[in-house]
């Protein structure tokens, strides 16, 4: 992902230093006076540790706060260093200060993130009472995940040697919030996929914990275009943009437990291809393109005396174009003959003109291309 929005929206960068850990951020103002804030947490592979900064949010009307997950050169799930959760408090302070400066409450905020960022969105959203949470392929058992997959992150977060007790404590952070019913009226949107290798361990066992949540929504993306954890988000960007744009406008969709996907990329298309060919505007051999007898191709023609003539059997009219620009049209006589001239001199130099016939129903013939050179009177040879 690129480091900054590409839409021309002014991007502000800063560091919040009030807490025990400096927290780096990027911010862009809302468009059209919108009164909403989207807080973005990063996934592991986000360049510069800022997620969703590749331009996909350019058209969002909301204020956007990207928070960098880089603390002493390490990633942390925005939670802790050596089990010191002052890091989490430092992140919460940044969000709180931005909200206060915008005069917004938690009811006008959407927390957003994918994978590691999705876990952070769930944790901060449930613990601190934010109204909207969008968690894309998150991990619920964070301690076990970093121990097994990201050992460097595990050492930074859980301490040298990665004590098993600390693994269990961090594993329980998100599930315990859900079990307790924390922020049970939040609008929560969780996305995963059966093709995500993490789904059976990191998501599915925890879904039943949300039974008391009034608007918990789970989308299981069952698509042949998803091969693993890293591809779930890309397959679902249009759907996700629909959700976040609705939340920004104060509308909280109720989806429930749904599945999407089911594409059939290898499905036989012969029937629809046959229909499209039978009804195509540009016809085949049954409607031949116009024949041109003048000007003679690749000759010089006096620029004030260019006249097109030819035959176009089956056509009601002939259309004339040059370099994608419509020049004019002429009717075809009953015997199939036609002629056309622009009524003004052509510019000197070579011209590449395309013509096609149009029948009474609007179907078109294939194109006829004529090249000639327009010259002043003395240089013409035709």
């Amino acid at each position: 992902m690129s480091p900054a929005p590409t839409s021309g929206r002014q991007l502000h960068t800063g560091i919040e230093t009030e807490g025990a850990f400096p927290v780096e951020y990027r911010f862009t103002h809302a468009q059209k006076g919108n009164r909403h804030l989207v807080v973005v947490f990063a996934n592991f592979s986000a360049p510069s540790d800022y997620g969703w900064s590749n331009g996909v949010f350019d058209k969002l009307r909301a204020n956007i706060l990207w928070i960098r997950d880089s603390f002493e050169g390490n990633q942390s799930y925005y939670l802790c260093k050596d089990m010191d959760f002052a890091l989490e408090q430092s992140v919460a302070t940044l969000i709180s200060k931005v909200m206060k400066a915008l005069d917004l409450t938690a009811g006008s905020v959407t927390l957003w993130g994918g994978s590691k960022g999705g876990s952070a969105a769930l944790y901060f959203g449930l613990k601190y009472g934010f109204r909207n949470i969008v968690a894309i392929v998150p991990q619920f058992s964070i301690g076990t995940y970093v121990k097994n997959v990201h050992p460097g992150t595990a050492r930074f977060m859980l301490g040298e040697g990665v004590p098993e007790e600390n693994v269990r404590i961090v594993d329980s952070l998100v599930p315990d919030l859900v079990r307790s019913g924390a922020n049970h009226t939040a609008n929560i949107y969780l996305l995963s996929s059966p093709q995500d290798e993490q789904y059976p361990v990191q998501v599915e066992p925890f879904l039943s914990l949300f039974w008391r949540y009034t608007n918990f929504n789970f989308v299981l993306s069952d698509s042949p275009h998803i091969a693993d954890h890293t591809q779930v988000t890309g397959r679902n960007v249009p759907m996700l943009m629909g959700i976040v744009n609705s939340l920004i406008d104060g509308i909280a969709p109720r989806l429930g437990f749904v599945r999407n996907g089911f594409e059939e990329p290898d499905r036989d298309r012969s029937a629809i291809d046959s229909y499209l060919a039978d009804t195509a505007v540009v016809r085949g051999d049954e409607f031949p393109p116009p024949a041109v007898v003048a000007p003679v191709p690749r000759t010089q023609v006096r620029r004030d005396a260019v006249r097109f003539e030819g035959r176009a059997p089956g056509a009601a009219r002939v259309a004339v174009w040059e370099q994608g620009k419509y020049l004019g049209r002429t009717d075809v006589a009953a015997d199939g003959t036609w002629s056309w001239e622009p009524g003004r001199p052509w510019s000197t130099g070579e011209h590449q003109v395309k013509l096609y016939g149009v029948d009474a129903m609007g179907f078109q013939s294939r194109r006829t291309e004529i090249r000639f050179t327009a010259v002043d009177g003395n240089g013409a040879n035709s």
Side-chain angles (χ1 to χ4, degrees):
M1 294 184 175
S2 62
T6 58
S7 64
R9 295 172 69 170
Q10 185 177 4
L11 190 67
H12 303 266
T13 60
I15 305 174
E16 169 54 55
T17 59
E18 180 176 304
F21 292 82
V23 185
E24 298 178 65
Y25 70 87
R26 290 172 175 159
F27 176 85
T28 188
H29 286 287
Q31 297 178 320
K32 303 182 183 297
N34 182 269
R35 300 286 296 147
H36 198 90
L37 172 66
V38 176
V39 179
V40 184
F41 298 99
N43 57 301
F44 270 108
S45 61
S48 302
D49 308 303
Y50 287 105
W52 294 82
S53 56
N54 64 340
V56 71
F57 280 178
D58 284 356
K59 299 300 181 182
L60 297 188
R61 294 179 180 177
N63 301 280
I64 306 172
L65 173 66
W66 290 268
I67 305 178
R68 189 182 188 198
D69 187 18
S70 180
F71 299 91
E72 300 177 12
N74 296 277
Q75 299 184 46
S76 67
Y77 275 79
Y78 303 88
L79 291 175
C80 57
K81 173 195 174 185
D82 294 330
M83 299 301 288
D84 179 1
F85 286 84
L87 193 156
E88 167 202 329
Q89 293 298 320
S90 299
V91 174
T93 295
L94 166 64
I95 299 172
S96 177
K97 284 192 168 185
V98 171
M99 288 168 54
K100 182 177 180 181
L102 292 169
D103 193 24
L104 295 176
T105 67
S108 298
V109 177
T110 295
L111 301 192
W112 176 285
S115 193
K116 170 171 64 72
S119 303
L122 276 171
Y123 180 76
F124 282 85
L126 295 174
K127 183 172 180 178
Y128 294 95
F130 290 99
R131 184 63 176 161
N132 306 314
I133 303 166
V134 181
I136 306 156
V137 292
Q139 294 88 36
F140 279 78
S141 298
I142 297 171
T144 296
Y145 181 72
V146 294
K147 175 186 175 182
N148 294 337
V149 182
H150 296 282
T153 300
R155 289 191 297 272
F156 179 78
M157 293 177 62
L158 310 179
E160 198 62 41
V162 189
E164 195 59 35
E165 179 183 0
N166 292 349
V167 173
R168 290 194 298 269
I169 290 171
V170 174
D171 271 351
S172 69
L173 291 176
V174 174
D176 281 358
L177 284 168
V178 183
R179 289 189 185 97
S180 71
N183 195 15
H184 70 279
T185 61
N187 303 307
I188 304 173
Y189 303 87
L190 180 61
L191 169 67
S192 190
S193 169
Q195 287 80 43
D196 181 354
E197 68 278 7
Q198 297 181 23
Y199 172 68
V201 175
Q202 287 289 347
V203 176
E204 186 178 29
F206 304 95
L207 295 177
S208 62
L209 301 180
F210 288 93
W211 67 270
R212 70 176 75 182
Y213 282 77
T214 58
N215 191 23
F216 174 71
N217 305 276
F218 177 63
V219 179
L220 188 66
S221 191
D222 192 0
S223 168
H225 298 293
I226 296 173
D228 57 31
H229 176 79
T230 64
Q231 296 180 354
V232 181
T233 301
R235 159 62 181 80
N236 287 279
V237 167
M239 181 270 293
L240 292 167
M241 291 300 101
I243 290 174
V244 72
N245 277 295
S246 295
L247 295 174
I248 288 169
D249 276 352
I251 302 167
R254 292 182 177 269
L255 307 177
F257 280 61
V258 296
R259 298 171 77 102
N260 71 350
F262 310 112
E263 301 95 338
E264 298 180 4
D266 299 322
R267 183 178 176 84
D268 180 12
R269 300 194 314 181
S270 59
I272 184 62
D273 288 343
S274 176
Y275 172 77
L276 295 174
D278 290 344
T279 58
V281 169
V282 179
R283 311 305 286 172
D285 293 339
E286 72 275 17
F287 185 12
V292 179
V293 297
V296 176
R298 300 192 179 279
T299 59
Q300 293 182 346
V301 185
R302 209 174 75 191
R303 59 189 291 264
D304 60 353
V306 178
R307 177 182 175 87
F308 286 81
E309 299 178 5
R311 290 182 51 80
R317 58 188 181 274
V318 171
V320 186
W321 292 70
E322 183 179 22
Q323 296 182 349
K325 181 179 179 182
Y326 174 71
L327 300 183
R329 49 178 269 188
T330 184
D331 291 336
V332 177
D335 63 358
T337 59
W338 61 271
S339 64
W340 177 83
E341 51 189 323
R344 57 175 176 77
W346 291 70
S347 61
T348 56
E350 184 178 79
H351 292 270
Q352 179 180 338
V353 178
K354 293 184 178 181
L355 306 95
Y356 60 86
V358 182
D359 70 12
M361 297 185 66
F363 288 105
Q364 302 174 7
S365 73
R366 298 191 306 275
R367 277 47 178 165
T368 298
E369 181 179 300
I370 296 294
R371 292 176 181 265
F372 68 93
T373 300
V375 297
D376 291 325
N378 293 336
N381 59 16
S382 171

